Amino acid sequence: LGRLSNRWKNDSSGMFKDKSRYQTLTRMSYCQCRLKLVFSSIFRQFGWRHIALIIDRSDLFSLTVGKNLEYGLKDEELLKFVRELDGNDEEDIEAYLKDASMYARVIILSVRGSLVRKFMLSALALGMTRGEFTFLDVEIFQSSYWGDHYWELGDEDDFKARKSYEALLRVSLLQPTSPTYQYFAEKVRALAKQDYNYTFVEDEEVNFFIGAFFDGVYLLGMALNDTLNEGGDIRDGTAITRKMWGRDFEGITGHVRIDDNGDRDADYSILDLDPITGRFEVVAHYYGITREYSPVKGKKIHWPGGREGPPPDVPKCGFLGTSPACQGNGGKHKALFPCNAVSETPRAATITP
């Protein structure tokens, strides 16, 4: 934990990025260090340069993702506000949102699934889901392990939650859809039932990591074959690892690219809530090979409030309504929240120019 904490304080790459320490480690699913590139591609697409980030430090996944985004987006001078919270405590969520609104109209929620819903309900109550703000979160793939990221819980807030999620964009790993993968997934479901008495529930996806492990074995096999063909020593793990790095191939999870540091350059999807069906639909992809935002043909983002496009990076009258262009008759343009409702420099927050 001490080593991990030190890494978070000093860089954004994550502790396993340093292959001088982990010389035979190959990451076959994804590297959280790439998420900053995914988010940056979204921000470039819509011209956003003022970003707020809220991190749940009590949830390891949220903290790791949040810290990678924090350092990566700071390097690109996109991050204007960062604040951490303890998701196990009864926090004043509205206060966090009001503070963030002083610096940005684009807010990343790196928090556990149940907290995403609380934040979005609070945003709805504050009038932040009408199109002036955009929220983003990360759900690597659908799994109870990451927490429930869905708006529907069968309670009295379902209607409000569904409405609020119209202002939320979601980043996930690109889920394979090829016939080969579907056949593989069916075999996994059958073996899970046969050997482990586990039955997948309706609409439950086969864990992406299972396919990544399969591709890892395939990649290892290719490296072993290369070693044998060259008369090498198959007991030399370091040499075999080097043959696994810097290559690409068609795997069960799609096109697999392993960079020269042993990390997969994964593909991601950007999802938007369809207000008619209430389900998240893929509207764009981020391909690791191009590192660009790529809209899906025939799909579009349903911007809330009946808007035809994204919110501007900076509001017309500024974040506090104090822009000179909006001054008239000796008064100020009304801000979204009264200035005395938020602290000028929120406690426990990090503000960047």
Side-chain angles (χ1 to χ4, degrees), residues 131-175:
E132 294 91 352
F133 289 80
T134 294
F135 296 85
L136 301 99
D137 77 342
V138 177
E139 184 183 34
I140 291 299
F141 54 82
Q142 290 183 3
S143 170
S144 59
Y145 177 82
W146 315 111
D148 191 347
H149 282 250
Y150 200 46
W151 56 264
E152 187 175 19
L153 293 183
D155 62 19
E156 61 184 7
D157 289 326
D158 275 354
F159 178 79
K160 292 180 180 179
R162 174 172 173 166
K163 189 66 178 176
S164 70
Y165 273 49
E166 292 179 18
L168 179 69
L169 296 177
R170 175 158 292 163
V171 173
S172 300
L173 282 170
L174 194 157
Q175 185 69 21

Side-chain angles (χ1 to χ4, degrees), residues 6-282:
N6 184 62
R7 283 283 176 179
W8 281 335
K9 289 179 181 177
N10 292 290
D11 65 56
S12 63
S13 61
M15 65 182 296
F16 296 118
K17 186 75 172 177
D18 183 0
K19 296 301 171 65
S20 66
R21 293 173 180 262
Y22 308 98
Q23 298 180 18
T24 58
L25 173 65
T26 303
R27 292 192 277 193
M28 293 298 303
S29 55
Y30 75 106
C31 174
Q32 290 173 346
C33 57
R34 296 285 202 277
L35 282 171
K36 62 186 178 184
L37 302 177
V38 182
F39 277 84
S40 292
S41 74
I42 299 172
F43 302 151
R44 284 196 305 272
Q45 177 72 16
F46 300 115
W48 294 328
R49 295 197 59 80
H50 291 74
I51 312 300
L53 172 63
I54 298 174
I55 304 171
D56 179 4
R57 63 173 175 268
S58 66
D59 178 68
L60 181 58
F61 175 76
S62 300
L63 179 61
T64 307
V65 168
K67 286 300 181 181
N68 273 281
L69 289 175
E70 178 181 349
Y71 294 118
L73 297 179
K74 273 184 179 178
D75 287 344
E76 297 191 35
E77 299 182 348
L78 296 174
L79 202 59
K80 309 303 179 185
F81 172 92
V82 183
R83 192 164 181 184
E84 295 182 14
L85 59 83
D86 187 333
N88 295 318
D89 293 341
E90 289 296 325
E91 300 273 6
D92 185 353
I93 289 177
E94 288 193 2
Y96 284 92
L97 292 172
K98 289 178 180 179
D99 286 345
S101 74
M102 296 172 62
Y103 303 95
R105 289 293 183 264
V106 179
I107 302 174
I108 303 173
L109 301 175
S110 186
V111 301
R112 66 188 71 184
S114 58
L115 269 183
V116 171
R117 191 173 189 263
K118 290 181 179 179
F119 266 99
M120 295 310 298
L121 284 170
S122 293
L124 179 74
L126 290 170
M128 298 173 70
T129 60
R130 301 170 185 165
E132 294 91 352
F133 289 80
T134 294
F135 296 85
L136 301 99
D137 77 342
V138 177
E139 184 183 34
I140 291 299
F141 54 82
Q142 290 183 3
S143 170
S144 59
Y145 177 82
W146 315 111
D148 191 347
H149 282 250
Y150 200 46
W151 56 264
E152 187 175 19
L153 293 183
D155 62 19
E156 61 184 7
D157 289 326
D158 275 354
F159 178 79
K160 292 180 180 179
R162 174 172 173 166
K163 189 66 178 176
S164 70
Y165 273 49
E166 292 179 18
L168 179 69
L169 296 177
R170 175 158 292 163
V171 173
S172 300
L173 282 170
L174 194 157
Q175 185 69 21
T177 58
S178 69
T180 302
Y181 182 80
Q182 295 305 321
Y183 175 76
F184 170 80
E186 287 303 317
K187 294 289 287 184
V188 169
R189 292 187 178 95
L191 288 172
K193 176 65 175 177
Q194 173 186 306
D195 296 343
Y196 303 102
N197 196 32
Y198 178 82
T199 302
F200 283 75
V201 299
E202 185 179 359
D203 293 332
E204 181 181 1
E205 298 284 355
V206 170
N207 189 318
F208 180 88
F209 293 164
I210 297 174
F213 275 120
F214 183 94
D215 286 339
V217 174
Y218 186 74
L219 176 59
L220 175 61
M222 289 192 293
L224 287 171
N225 281 339
D226 290 347
T227 301
L228 289 171
N229 290 335
E230 296 169 5
D233 184 359
I234 62 172
R235 295 169 298 181
D236 187 344
T238 301
I240 290 174
T241 298
R242 294 302 176 268
K243 292 186 179 297
M244 297 169 66
W245 294 3
R247 68 189 299 170
D248 60 334
F249 63 96
E250 288 299 325
I252 202 72
T253 58
H255 194 79
V256 180
R257 294 174 298 278
I258 306 298
D259 68 16
D260 57 9
N261 195 52
D263 295 324
R264 181 171 182 171
D265 211 355
D267 300 326
Y268 293 83
S269 295
I270 294 87
L271 298 91
D272 165 60
L273 188 80
D274 186 320
I276 304 300
T277 66
R279 301 181 68 87
F280 276 94
E281 304 285 348
V282 176

